[in-house]
């Protein structure tokens, strides 16, 4: 069932369906993701770093799925008790940066290079029941792209993994709001 849901999510992203956008506080999404992670694994150290609200315009449900996918990956691919850190900050362009980092074993360069490929699993011997479908990071990348952002992966053996999401303040598919009555647009009209 989860595989079918993941494939449907990817198909929707591939079709370029419009996002259901509204103001979203990424700091709150990170806090909610950390709470969900603690509920699943209460003994794992989980931290959230955010100086305050970090608001963007985006699709709340899809952005929550990003956080869930990333925290699940960090939990599943690290030993029990390995700390996981969620960090949110504004970026210089008015958008936001969301990071999910772990202090786990990290990834070899060849694995990191393929991490966002559909159906890629670093250990092909793992059963789908325990190893996932290999679509989680593909969905993350597709969702971030649909928001006009990009994903960065920083990982190396022995130093953990950090997935960094950089999102604009407003997705490119959202037209700018009309100016208030009597106000002038930047082009003078």
């Amino acid at each position: 069932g989860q595989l079918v849901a993941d494939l449907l999510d990817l198909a929707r992203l591939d079709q370029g369906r419009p996002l259901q956008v509204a103001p979203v506080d990424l700091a709150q999404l990170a806090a909610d993701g950390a709470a969900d992670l603690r509920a699943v694994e209460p003994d794992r150290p989980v931290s959230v770093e955010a100086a305050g609200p970090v608001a963007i315009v985006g699709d709340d449900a899809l952005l929550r799925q990003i956080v869930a996918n990333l925290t699940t990956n960090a939990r599943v691919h690290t030993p029990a008790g390995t700390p996981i850190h969620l960090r949110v900050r504004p970026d210089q362009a008015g958008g936001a940066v969301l990071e999910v980092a772990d202090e786990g074993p990290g990834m070899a360069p060849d694995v990191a290079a393929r991490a966002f490929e559909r159906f890629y699993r670093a250990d092909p011997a793992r059963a789908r029941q325990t190893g996932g479908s290999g679509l989680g990071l593909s969905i993350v990348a597709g969702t971030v792209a649909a928001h006009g952002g990009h994903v960065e992966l920083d990982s190396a053996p022995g130093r953990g993994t950090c997935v960094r999401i950089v999102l604009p303040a407003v997705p490119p598919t959202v037209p700018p709001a009309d100016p208030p009555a009597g106000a002038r647009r930047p082009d003078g009209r």
Side-chain angles (χ1 to χ4, degrees), residues 41-81:
E41 202 170 327
D43 294 331
R44 183 181 292 265
V46 179
S47 68
V48 178
E49 299 170 29
V54 179
I56 63 164
V57 174
D59 189 311
D60 184 81
L62 291 177
L63 293 171
R64 285 181 185 279
Q65 183 177 12
I66 286 174
V67 173
N69 286 1
L70 294 176
T71 57
T72 297
N73 274 3
R75 181 180 59 80
V76 169
H77 297 293
T78 61

Side-chain angles (χ1 to χ4, degrees), residues 6-177:
D6 289 346
L7 288 169
L8 285 171
D9 288 340
L10 282 170
R12 288 183 191 110
L13 290 169
D14 287 347
Q15 289 176 344
R17 288 195 180 168
L19 302 173
Q20 302 297 313
V21 297
V24 176
D25 178 6
L26 284 182
Q28 184 61 53
L29 264 61
D32 292 348
D36 292 346
L37 184 54
R38 288 183 192 110
V40 172
E41 202 170 327
D43 294 331
R44 183 181 292 265
V46 179
S47 68
V48 178
E49 299 170 29
V54 179
I56 63 164
V57 174
D59 189 311
D60 184 81
L62 291 177
L63 293 171
R64 285 181 185 279
Q65 183 177 12
I66 286 174
V67 173
N69 286 1
L70 294 176
T71 57
T72 297
N73 274 3
R75 181 180 59 80
V76 169
H77 297 293
T78 61
T82 302
I84 297 174
H85 311 282
L86 290 86
R87 297 184 282 265
V88 179
R89 68 180 186 279
D91 74 357
Q92 294 84 359
V97 176
L98 165 69
E99 295 178 342
V100 177
D102 65 61
E103 297 178 24
M107 296 182 211
D110 60 320
V111 172
R114 299 188 62 199
F116 293 99
E117 290 180 18
R118 292 179 184 186
F119 298 108
Y120 179 71
R121 294 183 302 162
D123 182 1
R126 268 202 312 242
R128 289 216 185 271
Q129 293 82 1
T130 58
S133 64
L135 294 174
L137 289 178
S138 296
I139 291 170
V140 168
T143 301
V144 170
H147 279 83
H150 67 275
V151 182
E152 301 168 0
L153 178 69
D154 182 16
S155 185
R159 68 172 176 90
T161 298
C162 177
V163 179
R164 185 173 302 106
I165 307 296
V166 181
L167 295 165
V170 179
T173 56
V174 177

